[in-house]
C-alpha cells in the first residue's frame, strides 16, 4: 500500500468539500433536491437571465455541477471534472457580476470561489487518496489538464458572450424614467 501525507489528506478534504457542494447545487437544478427548482424551474430562471434555451442551459449547468462535483469528490478524471465545474461556475459568476464581488450583495464571490477551487484541483491533481491514483491515472494525465481547461474556457466564453449579447439586446429597448414621480 502506498503511504500518503498531509498534502494528500488536504487534497481529499478540498475535493470532498468542493465536490460535495457542487454536486448538491447540480442536483438542485436537475432533480429539485435540497430545495431546488428542478429542470423546469431552473430553465425558466436561466431563460430570464439570458441563457437560452433555458431548459438546455439548466441541464448543461446541472450536469457540469453534479458530474464535475461528484467526480472531484471521488478524485476521478480530475482534469475534466475540475474544468467542467469551473466552467459552470464561470457561467454563474457572469449572472452575479453586476452585483459586485461580495455574496451578501448578490455578487460573484461564491461562484468564483467554487470555480477557482475546482480549477485548482484540476491543476494540482487529486492526490493519492483518490480513484485516479488507484486506477494509475488513466484519466488524469498531465496533457489532459491544459486541454480540459482550455476547451472549457473556450466553450464558457462563447456561452457567456452569447448571454451578454442577449441581455444587452433586451436592455436596448428599455428606457429609464427621466424624472422620479
Amino acid at each position: 500500500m502506498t503511504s500518503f501525507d498531509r498534502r494528500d489528506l488536504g487534497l481529499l478534504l478540498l475535493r470532498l468539500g468542493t465536490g460535495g457542494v457542487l454536486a448538491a447545487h447540480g442536483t438542485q437544478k436537475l432533480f429539485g433536491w435540497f430545495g431546488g427548482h428542478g429542470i423546469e424551474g431552473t430553465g425558466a430562471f436561466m431563460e430570464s437571465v439570458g441563457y437560452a434555451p433555458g431548459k438546455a442551459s439548466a441541464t448543461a449547468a446541472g450536469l457540469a455541477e453534479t458530474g464535475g462535483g461528484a467526480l472531484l469528490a471521488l478524485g476521478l478524471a480530475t482534469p475534466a471534472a475540475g474544468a467542467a465545474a469551473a466552467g459552470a461556475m464561470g457561467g454563474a459568476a457572469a449572472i452575479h457580476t453586476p452585483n459586485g464581488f461580495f455574496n451578501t450583495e448578490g455578487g460573484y464571490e461564491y461562484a468564483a470561489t467554487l470555480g477557482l477551487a475546482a480549477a485548482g484541483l484540476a491543476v494540482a491533481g487529486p492526490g493519492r487518496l483518490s480513484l485516479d491514483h488507484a486506477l494509475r491515472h488513466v484519466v488524469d494525465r498531465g496533457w489532459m489538464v491544459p486541454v480540459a481547461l482550455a476547451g472549457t474556457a473556450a466553450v464558457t466564453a462563447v456561452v457567456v458572450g452569447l448571454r451578454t449579447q442577449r441581455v444587452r439586446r433586451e436592455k436596448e429597448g428599455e428606457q429609464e424614467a427621466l424624472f422620479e414621480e
Side-chain angles (χ1 to χ4, degrees):
M1 182 172 162
T2 305
S3 65
F4 62 90
D5 58 21
R6 69 182 199 187
R7 178 184 175 276
D8 296 312
L9 186 57
L11 287 169
L12 173 65
L13 292 172
L14 186 57
R15 284 192 352 258
L16 290 173
T18 303
V21 168
L22 285 161
H25 276 281
T27 60
Q28 287 181 309
K29 291 172 180 65
L30 293 175
F31 310 117
W33 295 354
F34 309 113
H37 300 289
I39 292 292
E40 295 298 325
T42 304
F45 169 75
M46 296 288 248
E47 192 88 34
S48 77
V49 295
Y51 286 115
K55 194 170 179 180
S57 297
T59 301
L63 288 172
E65 291 174 15
T66 303
L71 290 172
L72 278 176
L74 294 169
L76 181 61
T78 304
M89 291 300 99
I95 295 169
H96 297 282
T97 296
N99 301 322
F101 178 71
F102 291 104
N103 191 46
T104 53
E105 301 297 321
Y108 63 93
E109 166 189 23
Y110 185 62
T113 300
L114 285 174
L116 288 169
L121 286 165
V123 172
R128 287 180 280 194
L129 299 172
S130 66
L131 287 179
D132 274 337
H133 183 73
L135 297 172
R136 299 176 188 230
H137 298 277
V138 294
V139 288
D140 177 34
R141 303 283 187 207
W143 64 265
M144 294 175 180
V145 174
V147 169
L149 290 172
T152 301
V155 170
T156 302
V158 168
V159 170
V160 170
L162 291 170
R163 176 205 173 254
T164 301
Q165 289 175 351
R166 279 187 206 98
V167 170
R168 283 186 184 150
R169 277 196 306 269
E170 288 174 11
K171 287 188 178 187
E172 284 176 358
E174 298 175 12
Q175 183 174 344
E176 295 182 28
L178 296 175
F179 305 100
E180 289 185 35
E181 292 182 30

